[in-house]
Amino acid sequence: MKAKAAVLWERNTAWSVEEVEFADPKPGEVLIKMVASGMCHSDDHAVTGDLEVAIPTIGGHEGAGIVEKIGPNVRDVEVGDHVVLSFIPSCGKCRWCSTGYSNLCDLGAVIMGGAQLDGTYRATARGKDVGSLALLGTFGNYAVVPEASVVKIHKWIPLEKACLVGCGVTTGWGSAVNTGEVSPGDTVVVVGVGGIGGSAIQGAKIAGARHIVAVDISPEKKSMAETLGATHFVQSVDEAMGLVNDLTWGVMADVAILTVGIARGEMVQQMVSLVRKAGRVVLTAISPFGAMDAQLHLAEVTLFQKQLRGSLFGECNPRADIPRLLDLYQSGQLKLDEMVTKEYKLEDINDGYADMKAGRIMRGVIIHEH
């Protein structure tokens, strides 16, 4: 079938919105009619090369839609089901899935390669095979994806909001709740107020944090951060250092979460200095894959028992946590409507990413036309 999608043909070029052709889903695969796609910063990392994604590829790894067709041996969904696509698939069988770490599923090893799980492609354009980012390619109005990436949701949940829990909201929320282990009364610092940072703020609030200090260089993010639960806003880590010192009478933060666009080595020690003895630093931001330049005061880590923790997908288990987050949304505790700053047509995707990089939006969402 023919469809429309945003394809990345070369690094550091604009997304090209054009016609692509999809093959039918193979065994264990599902054809999804995409309704909405979140515009995550990681897709721009594919453009810049900070994420080593095979190209050409259809972008997008945060989306929601309706099952249009199923391949042989698909058991968990049927035509007409509403679904959120998880950017990391979960097989349910590997060591990581079976021990509660399905965010580290072995299938995640292939999500940057473009091809589907059997090593072949489902999309073609300009006479060439075209990959799908994270096995999904949600920047198309249709997508063929593995059943392992599909999570069924209630039909009454608006898909243009549900798409956010396929990556960004889940990653940020879990960075606070799971990796950061925020507890009632804690002081939390979130550095970077984008889609992930805003969700980390929400996770900290839901977990009962007393002080939530949001840090972002863009003053426009202040109102966004406060809407989502931040109690304080500053524009630099240096400002945060003094504020947190005052708020905690010198004890410092219980948890500090780094969610900036690109993590740099010099940021690590800053984050460590923000937390108290036995405090937890959560690194969620992406770094260039070969980066080895982190600066760290090792004696401070050892003698003050500070912890440095990486967080992928917020340590969430998509089949359990995606429905749970949508339940929190329905109860009014998780704000998704407020996360969406602006909606775009697929043809306007490059304008959306320009807005994101300029700090004008927290999360843009593409609404697909059919």
Side-chain angles (χ1 to χ4, degrees), residues 26-102:
K26 291 187 176 182
E29 296 178 351
V30 182
L31 173 66
I32 305 295
K33 179 181 180 181
M34 296 303 305
V35 173
S37 304
M39 299 173 65
C40 185
H41 203 143
S42 295
D43 295 290
D44 189 63
H45 292 325
V47 174
T48 62
D50 290 318
L51 278 179
E52 297 183 5
V53 175
I55 54 177
T57 190
I58 299 170
H61 64 282
E62 191 177 87
I66 302 169
V67 176
E68 183 92 353
K69 189 174 184 179
I70 61 175
N73 304 324
V74 170
R75 298 177 300 175
D76 294 339
V77 294
E78 58 187 24
V79 173
D81 282 345
H82 288 206
V83 297
V84 168
L85 302 183
S86 170
F87 97 93
I88 295 180
S90 55
C91 70
K93 300 175 183 178
C94 69
R95 171 184 176 179
W96 313 109
C97 285
S98 60
T99 54
Y101 293 95
S102 57

Side-chain angles (χ1 to χ4, degrees), residues 85-338:
L85 302 183
S86 170
F87 97 93
I88 295 180
S90 55
C91 70
K93 300 175 183 178
C94 69
R95 171 184 176 179
W96 313 109
C97 285
S98 60
T99 54
Y101 293 95
S102 57
N103 65 307
L104 299 176
C105 177
D106 282 339
L107 295 182
V110 302
I111 64 173
M112 296 296 128
Q116 288 298 318
L117 295 176
D118 65 356
T120 63
Y121 296 82
R122 300 295 170 270
T124 56
R126 305 184 190 179
K128 298 180 179 179
D129 288 331
V130 177
S132 297
L133 186 62
L135 305 171
L136 303 178
T138 65
F139 291 166
N141 57 2
Y142 287 90
V144 176
V145 306
E147 183 183 17
S149 301
V150 175
V151 179
K152 182 178 176 180
I153 66 171
H154 295 303
K155 290 185 177 180
W156 56 79
I157 299 173
L159 293 171
E160 65 272 16
K161 303 301 187 299
C163 68
L164 300 181
V165 301
C167 174
V169 168
T170 310
T171 297
W173 180 86
S175 293
V177 174
N178 295 331
T179 312
E181 298 183 60
V182 175
S183 298
D186 277 356
T187 295
V188 179
V189 181
V190 178
V191 181
V193 185
I196 293 174
S199 302
I201 290 169
Q202 294 207 68
K205 180 182 179 181
I206 292 171
R210 179 187 179 193
H211 302 300
I212 304 172
V213 178
V215 184
D216 199 285
I217 60 174
S218 174
E220 292 87 353
K221 297 292 182 69
K222 183 177 188 292
S223 62
M224 300 180 193
E226 291 173 345
T227 296
L228 297 176
T231 58
H232 301 78
F233 179 88
V234 294
Q235 289 182 253
S236 71
V237 174
D238 286 342
E239 287 183 82
M241 206 80 69
L243 174 60
V244 172
N245 182 74
D246 291 343
L247 290 173
T248 64
W249 296 85
V251 174
M252 302 306 287
D254 301 281
V255 182
I257 306 170
L258 184 65
T259 66
V260 295
I262 292 288
R264 303 295 181 190
E266 66 271 13
M267 298 177 181
V268 177
Q269 180 56 43
Q270 290 181 314
M271 299 298 292
V272 170
S273 297
L274 277 169
V275 299
R276 59 165 169 79
K277 297 176 183 179
R280 298 172 294 283
V281 172
V282 179
L283 299 183
T284 305
I286 292 291
S287 297
F289 195 75
M292 297 282 288
D293 61 342
Q295 300 173 15
L296 193 60
H297 194 296
L298 294 176
E300 181 180 353
V301 173
T302 302
L303 298 178
F304 295 140
Q305 204 171 302
K306 296 186 178 184
Q307 301 174 35
L308 188 61
R309 302 179 177 184
S311 187
L312 176 66
F313 206 6
E315 291 192 57
C316 287
N317 294 314
R319 297 192 186 283
D321 287 320
I322 284 175
R324 177 160 66 144
L325 287 169
L326 292 175
D327 285 343
L328 288 170
Y329 167 63
Q330 288 185 279
S331 70
Q333 297 177 76
L334 182 69
K335 297 179 179 180
L336 296 183
D337 296 5
E338 294 83 352

